[in-house]
Amino acid sequence: MAVLIDPPIWPAHDTLWAHLVSDTSIEELHAFAAAAGIPRRGFDHDHYDVPESRWHELVALGAEPVGGLELARRLAASGLRVSQREKRGL
């Protein structure tokens, strides 16, 4: 039961981005994000996109740093993963 964050390696909009997920519930994820002041517009079906500039702060607030593969594995195991196919409505 944790909020997880992967390394900020995803480039977009002149910065690098990380993913913030919960391996317990979407409600836990939204609560953590709200407490950290992350705007809801950063939510993408099963994760929040967060800029590199916030990474250390989110870890200090309790997000568990994990590698990208570990994050994906734990998200899938939780049953909360939303596939690209589902995101496109296919």
Side-chain angles (χ1 to χ4, degrees):
M1 299 190 320
V3 173
L4 313 170
I5 191 167
D6 66 357
I9 62 169
W10 307 98
H13 311 290
D14 297 321
T15 193
L16 296 175
W17 297 81
H19 300 113
L20 188 70
V21 306
S22 170
D23 67 358
T24 305
S25 72
I26 294 298
E27 292 77 20
E28 176 187 45
L29 178 60
H30 288 314
F32 183 92
I38 299 170
R40 187 70 177 251
R41 70 180 177 272
F43 182 67
D44 183 19
H45 295 88
D46 58 7
H47 70 277
Y48 278 87
D49 293 315
V50 293
E52 177 180 36
S53 62
R54 304 268 333 256
W55 194 89
H56 289 286
E57 172 192 354
L58 295 171
V59 170
L61 289 171
E64 178 185 338
V66 296
L69 291 176
E70 177 69 7
L71 182 136
R73 185 188 68 73
R74 289 175 63 179
L75 183 60
S78 74
L80 299 173
R81 176 82 171 122
V82 178
S83 71
Q84 289 298 319
R85 185 175 181 85
E86 291 172 298
K87 288 178 185 180
R88 292 187 202 121
L90 302 174

